[in-house]
Amino acid sequence: MLEPLPALEPRLHISARFARNLPRRAALSWLAAGWSDLCRDPVQSLLYGFAVFVLSALVVLGMIWAGLPLLIFPALSGFLVIGPLLAIGLYEKSRRLKTTSHANLRQMLLVRPASGGQLVFAGLLSCLLVMLWLRAADLLYALFFGLLPFPGFDQLPTQLLTTPRGWALILTGSAIGGLFAAFAMAISLFSFPMLLERRVDALTALGSSFAITVQNLRVVLPWGAIVALGFALSVLTGLLGLIVIFPLLGHGTWHAWVALRPPAEREA
């Protein structure tokens, strides 16, 4: 005898306590607020951006010196993961400008986050994610080109743009790299501002950042596009653009966090 079909259960309601329903144009207001913070005591922010430029240039030169120029491109992509951590001093300046009219460079460099050492732990997790992406990029090159040595920058465009294996590597690498970048940005974009402002553990901050991103895609995606465009412009200028663009985006990201952060009592 056939058993009766079970009754349909209503769909479970998914809590969206991180959703803020902001319009897409809010991303432009964050950029404008970031520019305003940059223009207040601009020397501090520009010096901060210059330090990030020097650090980035040293990383690129170090890879060339170590004979690993192939990893420069994925390493630059990994900057989107490390960038929110490097911008912690810029968040501190924007936070202080809400209560005082001045934030000096010493305060930006010697940040004392509310979460203490959890900020370092979150940074280590982000670095591990970058290392994983670098390893994946190395394996992808070996998958398509075998164990042949890197051809050099003079022959690289020919290898990538005029051969089927090069096209396949570009398509596959872009797809996998895009997934890495999207996930990394989702967990890091708001986690470091949260760790600066609130006493939470690293995993809670990373998870909250992911939830904030997923539940506010309408406004976070335009902001992510602005960040990606700014990074692309920095690369096209030989990383010199970081001197201005990095502080601008760092200050803007703090205002994005302020607009999207959940009430503090809900984090307890």
Side-chain angles (χ1 to χ4, degrees):
M1 181 177 178
L2 295 177
E3 295 291 334
L5 294 175
L8 293 177
E9 294 292 334
R11 185 177 179 179
L12 294 177
H13 174 70
I14 300 177
S15 175
R17 64 189 183 97
F18 294 100
R20 293 296 175 266
N21 299 317
L22 297 178
R24 292 184 179 89
R25 63 178 179 274
L28 294 177
S29 69
W30 301 338
L31 189 65
W35 178 255
S36 177
D37 287 354
L38 173 61
C39 292
R40 295 174 66 181
D41 295 325
V43 174
Q44 284 85 346
S45 294
L46 293 177
L47 285 175
Y48 200 98
F50 180 75
V52 172
F53 158 71
V54 172
L55 178 62
S56 304
L58 289 176
V59 170
V60 172
L61 292 175
M63 288 186 172
I64 295 176
W65 178 80
L68 298 172
L70 172 67
L71 298 182
I72 291 177
F73 299 105
L76 291 175
S77 301
F79 187 85
L80 295 174
V81 184
I82 303 299
L85 172 61
L86 296 178
I88 191 73
L90 299 169
Y91 306 152
E92 177 68 6
K93 177 184 173 181
S94 292
R95 185 177 73 88
R96 286 179 176 272
L97 288 178
K98 286 295 182 181
T99 56
T100 64
S101 59
H102 179 74
N104 58 48
L105 189 60
R106 180 178 178 274
Q107 293 169 332
M108 294 170 64
L109 296 177
L110 302 179
V111 180
R112 299 186 64 179
S115 59
Q118 291 297 316
L119 181 71
V120 178
F121 183 45
L124 289 175
L125 293 177
S126 297
C127 291
L128 288 175
L129 186 59
V130 173
M131 293 175 65
L132 179 62
W133 167 225
L134 292 176
R135 184 57 178 168
D138 198 14
L139 292 175
L140 277 175
Y141 179 82
L143 178 64
F144 286 98
F145 288 94
L147 300 178
L148 297 175
F150 186 71
F153 288 106
D154 55 336
Q155 301 180 28
L156 182 62
T158 302
Q159 288 271 14
L160 292 180
L161 302 177
T162 63
T163 65
R165 285 190 296 182
W167 299 334
L169 177 60
I170 291 175
L171 292 175
T172 307
S174 297
I176 297 178
L179 292 175
F180 267 97
F183 175 74
M185 187 171 183
I187 65 173
S188 63
L189 184 60
F190 302 111
S191 56
F192 294 105
M194 175 180 282
L195 290 167
L196 171 65
E197 186 182 46
R198 300 181 179 180
R199 187 174 177 81
V200 296
D201 63 273
L203 295 180
T204 296
L206 295 170
S208 298
S209 177
F210 185 85
I212 293 172
T213 300
V214 170
Q215 295 181 20
N216 295 278
L217 284 178
R218 182 171 61 179
V219 66
V220 173
L221 284 180
W223 180 248
I226 291 173
V227 172
L229 178 60
F231 177 70
L233 291 175
S234 299
V235 173
L236 291 176
T237 58
L239 299 180
L240 283 170
L242 287 174
I243 298 174
V244 176
I245 293 175
F246 188 81
L248 173 62
L249 296 178
H251 291 310
T253 297
W254 173 260
H255 289 280
W257 157 250
V258 170
L260 297 174
R261 63 187 172 187
E265 62 271 16
R266 295 185 181 181
E267 296 297 321

